[in-house]
């Protein structure tokens, strides 16, 4: 990747070079595109895509912003350009965005890698992008100052125009772009004060919508490479078994089938972030079309050994977690004196909770297109077109897998039909490249939905035990939380595991906001044969449920209203109080709900945002839960695009509610039982509640928005179920336990 | 085999059992119609056949010879169709992967029922959106109905 970057750098003219991590260029084109406002395109004759890093402005004024984060639906191809456009004083109707190529320019300075996750895009990129936009504006102003021979201080900018009010002269950015591109990049451009924002905070329309409503967006699965064939795969169903037999002749007899390729189980280590990609024993069928590959795989009938996993099922897994709760774990928080405070408590509450493994089920199944070219003289080359959230991770793993240097690999990031953490993994990228190398041609590998659902890196199942002591006022004074959880980080970011404590396992439990004097939180890492990875909101997806369910139990046992209890315990957390008070007001918490309706509340901080939610439900005579409405309040600090925030919160709530209602992987003989959307049910239109979403705007540092509404949604729902039925839901999903 | 898609006749050779979805995507390069499940559960592959919404992953192409097939590409390339316009006005798509199918389903619904109620929308719009864009899909359908 460094080669591509260097060659572009060398191509930069004049003084438009990298300065302090910021480089920026302008189109030097003299051509003008015939763009119209409905469908803007950058000048294809221009040099824009070759000379600029963050943005380019062509002579017609079209501003192309290169987005370092991967667009999976979360809106980064709009929100990040919005940050640049603000500082640039750009005419938003002239802004287009594209996913940046994978070069060292787009490695994040704070993480030293390229990847999208942790609800971090705006948080991590804002300073860099603001600086880029401000620098570009200063260069445009300098160009105008030179043209008119006036001091820069007499100029102002608005809507992609530089103005000299004293003389009434003005020039559009397109007119100034060529001259501006010859100027040196200011080292310390001045960024705006929030009070001067005109675009940040506005619900600007998404830049990627037009292409997504006429089918022209190119997702990973839509990539077409000259001369490519198609492949589909079957990996060991129980993750650990080996391929023991297959009917290769039958597969090859299927019309269009070209090849059958075995890929032995393998591990690849990304030394950069100490991450391991483990690919089960897998077999691929290559054919002229996906359909023929699928038929070939059906004819192949690959059989795998049990690998010692035959006894693994939901009951054995649950028993394992419960047993792990009795084993000594690692202390991750120890405040005050837990033993003494528990023994002196007026009332002692004890409860055990558990959650299941969850699949990601991105709408677009896993796929990747790869072209591996062997060349014994000049060195092998690998080009991949990947719907990936983790470019640096994928490239690093490909280097390990094929013994290549980074500059032998070219990676293109495509649009993604959902990510949710699944596409951080590199298994599907390695597989496509392996198949291409063996087949000696470009390969588009597409997984069936069944393969996708049965070979996920699942949200870990886990268990959590509480002992909470209440004082005479019914307030918690002792909080003991013992957890058993598989480690996501030991495979994904092993450097993050310190003293045996995976930070992902404990996030949301180790940092509860409540004023409780004595707290002991321990973690027993308990791994199973089921692969685990990052699922939307990661550890908070279970700890939010555990902690906020237990707080509801505390409220009931202590005879406090759940809102009032939280308010008492959050006096030292002013931002929580604002969210909580708005939640009470917007949900009408203090007014009794309509007859037959019941409410539950939860509040949780994750990814630097605080989210409170109230679920209002009713329960039919047959036990079916109807979620009528969700009220959601978020404090995510400074707001960039409230429209995108609203969609992300709604999306996250639906994710969480679906998981709470019926999410969960069923496992028999070590393999996933469900196979498709008929056996792993998602929420449809008819079930989706009304959602009232409120954003607390302030000037605090920005928080994440993609994930933080997941954690409180589950306990808000189950707390409402308790209000309705008196039954405490301590094990998810709800539906089988109510049936 | 001959298929009439978006008023254009396409002639090609494929295995007789090839689903319409894969003819559209792999044979004809019309990738706007998406693969989501392969078992007619999610609706990402929805197309119109003689004006009726159908899930193309589960229909052999051979079964729709001579029929009038319309895909997302046939709605309009310039987003001038009222349903596409409403989708943009309500900023519906997130990842967008299911939206071709959602839009096709909405076109069929609005053709049959120009002013659908919420209940009628619920009954007709059964495609899965993994991003949960349902509220805005509903708003966009009402926007078309009230235009």
């Amino acid at each position: 990747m460094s080669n591509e970057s260097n060659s572009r750098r060398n191509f930069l003219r004049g003084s438009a070079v990298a300065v302090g991590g910021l480089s920026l260029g302008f189109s030097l084109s003299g051509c003008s595109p015939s763009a119209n406002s409905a469908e803007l395109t950058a000048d294809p004759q221009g040099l824009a895509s070759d000379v600029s890093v963050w943005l380019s402005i062509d002579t017609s004024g079209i501003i192309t912003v290169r987005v370092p984060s991967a667009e999976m639906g979360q809106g980064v191809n709009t929100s990040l350009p919005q940050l640049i456009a603000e500082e640039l004083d750009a005419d938003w109707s002239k802004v287009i965005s594209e996913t940046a190529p994978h070069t060292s320019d787009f490695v994040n300075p704070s993480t030293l890698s390229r990847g999208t996750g942790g609800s971090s895009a705006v948080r991590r990129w804002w300073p860099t992008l603001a600086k880029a936009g401000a620098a570009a504006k200063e260069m445009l102003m300098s160009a105008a100052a030179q043209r008119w021979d006036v001091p820069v201080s007499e100029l102002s900018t608005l809507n992609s125009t530089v103005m000299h009010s004293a003389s009434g002269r003005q020039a559009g950015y397109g007119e100034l772009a060529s001259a501006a591109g010859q100027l040196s990049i200011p080292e310390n451009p001045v960024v705006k004060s929030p009070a001067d924002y005109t675009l940040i905070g506005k619900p600007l329309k998404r830049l990627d919508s037009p292409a997504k409503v006429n089918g022209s967006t190119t997702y990973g699965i839509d990539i077409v490479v000259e001369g490519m064939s198609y492949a589909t795969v079957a990996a060991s169903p129980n993750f650990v078994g080996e391929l023991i037999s297959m009917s290769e002749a039958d597969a090859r007899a299927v019309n269009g089938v070209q090849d059958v390729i075995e890929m032995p189980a393998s591990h690849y280590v990304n030394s950069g972030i100490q991450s391991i990609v483990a690919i089960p024993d897998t077999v691929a069928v290559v054919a002229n079309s996906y359909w023929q590959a699928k038929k070939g795989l059906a004819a192949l009938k690959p059989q795998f050994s049990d690998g010692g996993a035959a006894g693994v099922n939901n009951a054995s897994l649950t028993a394992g977690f419960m047993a792990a709760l009795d084993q000594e774990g690692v202390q991750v928080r120890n405040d005050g004196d837990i033993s003494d405070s528990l023994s002196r408590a007026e009332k002692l509450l004890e409860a055990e909770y558990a959650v299941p493994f969850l699949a990601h089920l991105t709408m677009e199944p896993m796929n990747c297109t790869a072209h591996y070219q062997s060349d014994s003289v000049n060195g092998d080359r690998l080009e991949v077109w990947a719907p990936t959230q983790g470019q640096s991770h994928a490239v690093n793993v490909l280097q390990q897998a094929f013994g290549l240097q980074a500059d032998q690999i070219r990676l293109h990031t495509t649009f993604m039909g959902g990510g949710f953490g699944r596409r951080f993994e590199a298994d599907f990228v390695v597989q496509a490249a392996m198949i291409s190398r063996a087949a000696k041609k470009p390969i588009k590998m597409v997984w069936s939905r069944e393969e996708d659902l049965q070979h996920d890196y699942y949200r870990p199942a886990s268990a959590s035990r509480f002992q909470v002591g209440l004082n005479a006022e019914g307030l918690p004074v002792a909080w003991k939380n013992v957890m058993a959880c598989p480690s996501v980080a030991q495979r994904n970011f092993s450097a993050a595991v310190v003293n045996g404590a995976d930070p992902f396992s404990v996030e949301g439990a180790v940092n509860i906001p409540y004023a409780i004097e004595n707290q002991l939180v321990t973690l027993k890492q308990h791994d199973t044969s089921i692969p685990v990875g990052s699922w939307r909101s990661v550890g908070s997806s279970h700890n939010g449920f555990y902690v906020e369910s237990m707080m509801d139990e505390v409220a009931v046992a202590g005879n406090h209203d759940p809102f009032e209890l939280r308010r008492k315990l959050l006096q030292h957390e002013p931002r929580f109080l604002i969210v909580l008070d708005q939640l009470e007001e917007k949900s009408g918490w203090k007014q009794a709900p309509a007859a037959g309706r019941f409410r539950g509340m939860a509040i949780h901080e994750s990814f630097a945002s605080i989210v409170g939610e109230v679920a209002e439900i009713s329960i039919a005579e047959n036990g079916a839960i109807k979620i009528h409405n969700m009220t959601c309040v978020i404090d995510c600090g400074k707001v960039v695009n409230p429209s995108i925030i609203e969609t992300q919160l709604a999306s996250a709530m639906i994710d969480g509610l679906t998981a709470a209602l019926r999410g969960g992987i069923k496992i028999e003989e070590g393999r996933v039982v469900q196979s498709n959307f008929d056996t792993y049910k998602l929420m449809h239109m008819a079930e989706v509640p009304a959602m009232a979403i409120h954003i607390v705007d302030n000037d605090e540092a920005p928080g994440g928005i993609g994930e933080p509404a997941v954690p409180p949604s589950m306990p808000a729902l189950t707390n409402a179920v308790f209000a309705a039925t008196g039954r405490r839901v301590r094990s998810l999903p709800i539906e089988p336990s109510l049936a | 085999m001959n298929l009439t898609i978006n008023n254009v006749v396409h002639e090609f050779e494929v295995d007789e059992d090839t689903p319409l979805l894969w003819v559209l995507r792999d044979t004809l390069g019309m990738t706007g119609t998406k693969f989501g499940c392969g078992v007619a559960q999610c609706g990402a592959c929805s197309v119109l056949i003689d004006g009726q919404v159908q899930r193309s992953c589960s229909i052999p192409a051979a079964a729709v010879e001579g029929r009038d097939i319309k895909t997302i590409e046939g709605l309009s390339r310039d987003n001038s169709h009222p349903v596409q316009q409403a989708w943009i006005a309500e900023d519906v798509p997130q990842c967008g992967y299911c939206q071709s199918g959602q839009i096709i389903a909405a076109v069929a619904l609005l053709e049959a029922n120009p002013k659908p109620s919420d209940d009628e929308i619920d009954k007709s719009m059964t495609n899965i959106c993994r991003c949960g864009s349902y509220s805005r899909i509903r708003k966009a359908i009402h926007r078309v109905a009230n235009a």
Side-chain angles (χ1 to χ4, degrees):
Chain A
M1 74 188 174
S2 54
N3 269 10
E4 189 178 333
S5 174
N6 287 340
S7 64
R8 193 172 69 246
R9 284 263 166 75
N10 294 339
F11 194 66
L12 286 169
R13 297 192 195 172
S15 50
V17 294
V19 178
L22 166 68
S23 51
L24 171 154
F26 291 97
S27 165
L28 306 178
S29 163
C31 303
S32 183
S34 55
N36 60 60
S37 59
E39 195 170 326
L40 296 173
T41 49
D43 178 3
Q45 305 298 312
L47 303 172
S49 63
D50 291 317
V51 299
S52 72
V53 173
W54 295 111
L55 73 153
S56 54
I57 303 176
D58 74 10
T59 51
S60 74
I62 300 299
I63 300 164
T64 303
V65 174
R66 295 195 170 74
V67 177
S69 301
E71 179 59 82
M72 309 175 269
Q74 81 282 39
V76 288
N77 274 26
T78 304
S79 55
L80 297 189
Q82 202 168 343
L83 301 175
I84 284 187
E86 175 67 66
E87 297 294 342
L88 185 56
D89 279 335
D91 175 351
W92 183 249
S93 70
K94 298 279 175 59
V95 176
I96 60 179
S97 65
E98 61 185 32
T99 303
H102 188 52
T103 68
S104 54
D105 295 316
F106 301 103
V107 166
N108 189 275
S110 69
T111 60
L112 301 180
S113 71
R114 175 112 183 257
T116 305
S119 297
S120 67
V122 164
R123 288 186 285 160
R124 284 193 187 143
W125 286 109
W126 195 332
T128 305
L129 299 181
K131 209 171 157 188
K137 183 175 77 175
E138 290 187 9
M139 292 164 76
L140 291 158
M141 293 175 79
S142 294
Q146 285 180 12
R147 178 187 286 189
W148 298 328
D149 195 20
V150 298
V152 170
S153 59
E154 292 181 7
L155 301 178
S156 60
T157 53
L158 183 69
N159 233 10
S160 283
T161 304
V162 181
M163 295 167 295
H164 183 240
S165 58
S167 63
R169 283 177 291 195
Q170 57 180 45
Y173 286 178
E175 295 172 57
L176 297 166
S178 296
Q182 303 296 324
L183 303 176
S184 57
I185 296 171
E187 282 192 46
N188 294 300
V190 179
V191 300
K192 289 182 180 178
S193 149
D196 297 327
Y197 288 162
T198 58
L199 294 176
I200 288 174
K202 293 258 166 62
L204 301 181
K205 291 267 190 286
R206 290 178 65 124
L207 298 175
D208 54 350
S209 284
K212 286 178 172 176
V213 303
N214 64 21
S216 63
T217 296
T218 303
Y219 297 87
I221 203 169
D222 302 325
I223 290 290
V224 175
V225 176
E226 179 80 21
M228 74 180 186
S229 291
Y230 297 79
T232 195
V233 303
S236 175
N238 62 13
F239 312 104
V240 291
E242 293 175 357
L243 182 65
I244 50 177
S245 73
M246 57 181 177
S247 308
E248 187 166 346
D250 290 349
R252 287 184 183 274
V254 171
N255 189 38
V257 168
Q258 301 169 9
D259 216 339
V260 174
I261 295 165
E262 289 181 58
M263 293 181 278
S266 49
H267 293 74
Y268 307 104
V269 178
N270 171 354
S271 54
I273 56 170
Q274 299 177 25
S275 180
I276 299 167
V277 173
I279 299 177
D281 227 18
T282 303
V283 60
V285 173
V286 178
N288 298 339
S289 72
Y290 173 77
W291 181 247
Q292 291 170 329
K294 185 180 167 70
K295 285 196 293 184
L297 190 61
L300 188 67
K301 296 192 187 69
Q303 301 295 314
F304 295 82
S305 67
D306 76 14
V312 177
N313 54 49
N314 291 95
S316 75
L317 290 163
T318 300
F321 285 111
M322 290 306 165
L325 288 178
D326 292 328
Q327 296 164 14
E328 188 176 351
V330 179
Q331 283 188 12
V332 291
R333 182 167 184 171
N334 189 1
D335 297 355
D337 187 332
I338 195 68
S339 300
D340 180 62
S341 55
L342 280 173
S343 67
R344 288 147 57 103
E346 290 287 323
K347 194 170 196 174
L348 184 65
L349 305 182
E350 293 184 293
E352 282 178 358
Y353 283 82
V355 298
F357 295 99
L358 294 173
H360 292 84
L361 291 170
T362 59
M363 208 69 223
E364 177 193 14
M366 293 303 108
N367 68 86
C368 183
T369 300
H371 189 194
Y372 194 102
Q373 292 175 279
S374 298
D375 185 333
S376 57
V377 178
N378 299 311
D380 294 359
R381 313 230 18 117
L382 172 59
E383 190 164 8
V384 294
W385 294 261
T388 176
Q389 294 176 240
Q391 294 95 338
S392 293
H393 181 49
V395 169
N396 199 316
V397 167
L398 290 170
Q399 286 182 247
Q400 307 296 318
F402 298 99
L404 299 175
Q405 299 300 308
D407 63 7
Q408 292 172 279
I409 299 169
R410 189 154 183 232
L411 180 142
H412 310 272
T413 312
T414 67
F415 275 90
M416 274 161 263
F420 312 121
R422 175 62 181 88
R423 287 192 154 98
F424 178 77
E425 304 293 346
D427 55 332
F428 57 94
V429 183
V430 174
Q431 282 182 342
M434 289 265 177
I435 300 167
S436 173
R437 184 170 67 169
K440 298 184 168 60
K441 56 166 59 176
I443 292 290
K444 172 148 77 176
M445 180 202 70
V446 176
W447 287 14
S448 65
R449 172 59 64 193
E450 291 78 8
E451 186 72 13
D452 184 278
L453 173 47
Q454 297 183 339
H455 291 90
D456 202 342
Y457 291 84
Y458 303 90
R459 195 288 301 271
S462 68
S464 202
R465 174 186 290 157
F466 292 94
Q467 289 175 289
V468 182
L470 309 190
N471 65 13
E473 285 78 50
L475 296 173
V477 290
W479 177 274
K480 183 178 177 185
N481 183 8
V482 174
M483 290 177 281
C485 187
S487 175
V488 169
Q490 78 170 2
R491 184 183 58 78
N492 256 351
F493 305 96
S494 60
V497 182
V498 179
N499 297 329
D502 178 344
F504 298 162
S505 299
V506 301
E507 62 187 359
V510 70
N511 55 327
I512 65 170
Y514 302 111
I516 302 175
E517 203 177 328
N518 304 287
Q519 290 189 42
L520 178 68
V521 182
T522 70
L523 169 70
K524 175 64 186 172
Q525 183 178 322
H526 177 75
D527 298 310
T528 76
S529 60
I530 310 302
V532 293
S534 296
W535 189 89
R536 200 173 189 172
S537 80
V538 200
S540 280
S541 74
H542 41 90
N543 291 326
F545 167 67
Y546 295 148
V547 169
E548 286 300 283
S549 297
M550 197 63 216
M551 285 306 296
D552 205 63
E553 295 206 38
V554 169
V556 171
N559 201 24
H560 290 287
D561 175 86
F563 162 72
E564 299 292 351
L565 172 71
R566 287 177 172 84
R567 224 182 172 289
K568 275 186 209 297
L569 299 174
L570 289 168
Q571 287 301 307
H572 61 295
E573 292 279 6
R575 293 178 68 182
F576 273 85
L577 284 182
I578 289 169
V579 171
L580 200 55
D581 287 345
Q582 277 208 24
L583 184 63
E584 179 271 311
E585 181 199 331
K586 303 293 185 187
S587 67
W589 182 263
K590 287 182 177 170
Q591 290 89 52
R597 299 279 188 97
F598 301 90
R599 298 190 189 119
M601 167 181 286
I603 188 168
H604 188 85
E605 178 179 5
S606 59
F607 309 96
S609 291
I610 302 163
V611 180
E613 293 172 29
V614 166
E616 186 171 309
I617 69 165
S618 65
I619 298 195
E621 279 184 18
N622 66 0
I625 297 169
K626 177 159 179 65
I627 309 168
H628 293 276
N629 53 64
M630 295 292 295
T631 307
C632 175
V633 179
I634 186 170
D635 173 357
C636 56
K638 190 71 201 156
V639 167
V640 176
N641 187 318
S643 173
I644 291 176
I645 293 174
E646 179 191 283
T647 58
Q648 285 301 294
L649 300 188
S651 171
M653 283 193 279
I654 290 172
D655 237 352
L657 294 171
T658 305
L661 277 175
R662 62 179 77 102
I665 287 296
K666 293 188 180 68
I667 294 153
E668 285 174 13
E669 298 184 345
R671 60 175 292 171
V672 174
V673 174
Q674 295 107 322
S675 59
N676 209 314
F677 294 125
D678 49 353
T679 44
Y680 199 107
K681 298 276 190 189
L682 297 176
M683 206 177 264
H684 289 75
M685 173 86 85
E687 279 187 287
V688 172
M691 288 182 276
I693 292 165
H694 306 276
I695 304 168
V696 178
D697 197 0
N698 56 38
D699 285 332
E700 301 283 350
I705 58 142
E707 298 168 271
V710 173
S713 62
M714 304 186 207
L717 173 59
T718 54
N719 292 342
V721 170
F722 177 83
T725 65
R727 283 187 60 181
R728 181 62 63 187
V729 179
R730 295 199 181 110
S731 174
L732 294 180
I734 300 168
E735 279 185 347
S737 63
L738 278 187
Chain B
M1 199 179 289
N2 285 291
L3 289 183
T4 306
I5 304 165
N6 303 327
N7 303 319
V8 177
V9 178
H10 297 265
E11 191 175 346
F12 52 87
E13 286 183 16
V14 293
D15 294 352
E16 281 290 312
D17 60 353
T18 308
L20 175 59
L21 170 66
W22 298 109
V23 168
L24 293 171
R25 292 183 54 80
D26 289 357
T27 309
L28 303 176
M30 299 169 72
T31 54
T33 304
K34 296 300 191 234
F35 166 55
C37 69
V39 294
Q41 285 284 317
C42 75
C45 65
S46 298
V47 298
L48 299 176
I49 296 174
D50 294 337
Q52 301 295 310
V53 65
Q54 301 272 343
R55 289 174 175 175
S56 65
C57 72
S58 300
I59 303 170
V64 290
E65 276 193 283
R67 311 277 291 276
D68 174 24
I69 301 163
K70 187 173 264 187
T71 70
I72 187 73
E73 288 90 351
L75 225 48
S76 87
R77 297 307 286 167
D78 62 359
N79 294 337
S80 56
H81 190 283
V83 175
Q84 290 172 315
Q85 300 223 317
W87 246 246
I88 292 173
E90 295 293 346
D91 226 8
V92 174
Q94 291 181 43
C95 90
Y97 193 78
C98 75
Q99 298 298 344
S100 296
Q102 303 280 5
I103 288 168
I104 288 290
V107 167
L109 166 63
L110 288 161
E111 186 66 32
N113 182 356
K115 293 242 178 215
S117 67
D118 279 340
D119 275 354
E120 289 164 339
I121 291 173
D122 285 348
K123 287 193 175 70
S124 295
M125 298 295 290
T126 56
N127 292 6
I128 294 170
C129 173
R130 205 37 204 88
C131 299
S133 66
Y134 298 112
S135 304
R136 290 195 177 186
I137 290 174
R138 186 189 302 282
K139 275 191 195 169
I141 291 170
H142 284 310
R143 176 183 277 267
V144 178
N146 296 327

